[in-house]
Amino acid sequence: MKIIAPSILSADFGNLRGAVEMINRSEAEWLHVDVMDGVFVPNISFGFPVMEPLKRYSTKPLDVHLMITHPEKYVERFCDAGAWSVGFHLEATDDPIPALEMIRKKGARTCLTINPDIDVHRLDPYLDKVDMVLLMSVFAGFGGQKFIPETMDKIRYVRAQIKQRGLETLLEVDGGVNTANAGEIFAAGADALVAGSAVFKADDPLQVIRSMKA
C-alpha cells in the first residue's frame, strides 16, 4: 500500500481552495490537516473554522493530526467538523483510551502519534486498539525539517509488530518526506507518507506526488 497525504499546512493560505482542488486532481489519497495549539508545540496553525472549507472543497478524506494538549477535549468536535481520521500524540494525554473511544464512536478512524524523542515501544500496548499509528520523523510543530534517519529503525520495528500480531493497523510517517526518500520509507514498512513542503513548494506538485508513489 502506498498512500500519499499532502499536508495543507504548507499550502498558500491565500488560495486555500485552489490548493485543495489541486490535491483533488492529484493521485494523493488523503489530505493531511495539521492542527497546532501553541502549547503542545510552539506554533499555532488553525482549527475548526478552517476545517469547514476543507471539508466543503476536498474530495479526499481529511487525515487530521492534532498537536494539542488534552486532545480528549476536542476530538469529537474534529470528527463533527468532517475529519475522516483523527490522530493525537500519546505524550499529550494521561490516558489515550478515552479519546480513542470518542473518535471511534463518532465513526472516524483512530490514530496514535509519537514524536522522535518518545520510545517507540510505548506504542506496543495500543497497536491493536487503533486504525493507524503515525511516526513523526521530525519534531512536531514546524514544517520544512529534515527527515531523522533513526526513524527508519522505528518504522521497521512497528511494521514487524503489526505483522507478528496479524493486525491491519496502518503505519503513517510524517516529516521530511520527499521524492528522494519516499521509496526507502515505503520499503521499510510505511503505508502512508505525509508530505508538505515537498509537494506544495514544488514547481509541479502533481508530478511530485506521482513520483513518491512510484
Side-chain angles (χ1 to χ4, degrees):
M1 185 180 299
K2 291 184 177 181
I3 295 168
I4 301 296
S7 171
I8 198 68
L9 185 66
S10 296
D12 176 5
F13 274 52
N15 184 22
L16 191 59
R17 179 174 180 175
V20 173
E21 290 178 342
M22 181 273 290
I23 298 302
N24 289 345
R25 297 192 304 274
S26 79
E27 295 179 22
E29 284 78 8
W30 304 340
L31 182 63
H32 193 77
V33 184
D34 287 306
V35 178
M36 308 177 190
D37 65 355
V39 180
F40 181 72
V41 292
N43 275 336
I44 297 174
S45 58
F46 43 73
F48 305 112
V50 176
M51 284 290 294
E52 193 274 329
L54 292 180
K55 177 62 177 174
R56 187 188 328 144
Y57 297 124
S58 179
T59 60
K60 312 281 179 151
L62 300 182
D63 176 37
V64 177
H65 173 198
L66 302 181
M67 290 169 265
I68 65 177
T69 57
H70 305 297
E72 62 275 3
K73 295 181 179 180
Y74 301 100
V75 292
E76 291 180 310
R77 289 185 63 189
F78 276 100
C79 292
D80 291 339
W84 173 82
S85 69
V86 178
F88 60 89
H89 282 254
L90 177 60
E91 62 268 34
T93 183
D94 295 329
D95 180 7
I97 297 300
L100 292 173
E101 291 177 347
M102 292 177 193
I103 296 167
R104 198 173 298 282
K105 286 179 180 177
K106 285 290 186 176
R109 278 71 174 175
T110 55
C111 177
L112 205 53
T113 308
I114 57 169
N115 261 317
D117 58 344
I118 302 301
D119 187 347
V120 70
H121 294 88
R122 288 184 59 185
L123 288 171
D124 289 355
Y126 306 105
L127 290 179
D128 62 347
K129 297 177 174 61
V130 295
D131 298 302
M132 180 164 63
V133 293
L134 170 57
L135 295 178
M136 292 300 300
S137 43
V138 300
F139 283 91
F142 298 92
Q145 299 179 67
K146 291 185 177 180
F147 183 89
I148 297 173
E150 289 77 12
T151 309
M152 298 300 292
D153 290 334
K154 295 182 178 181
I155 296 169
R156 296 185 186 99
Y157 172 78
V158 174
R159 171 52 57 199
Q161 288 295 308
I162 291 171
K163 184 177 180 179
Q164 181 180 322
R165 302 190 202 183
L167 303 174
E168 296 183 358
T169 311
L170 296 180
L171 174 52
E172 186 174 30
V173 176
D174 181 359
V177 174
N178 53 49
T179 53
N181 60 21
E184 185 181 4
I185 300 170
F186 275 131
D191 297 299
L193 304 184
V194 177
S197 301
V199 171
F200 286 102
K201 307 304 181 188
D203 293 333
D204 188 348
L206 300 181
Q207 178 57 40
V208 167
I209 292 170
R210 211 173 294 123
S211 297
M212 286 184 180
K213 291 176 67 69

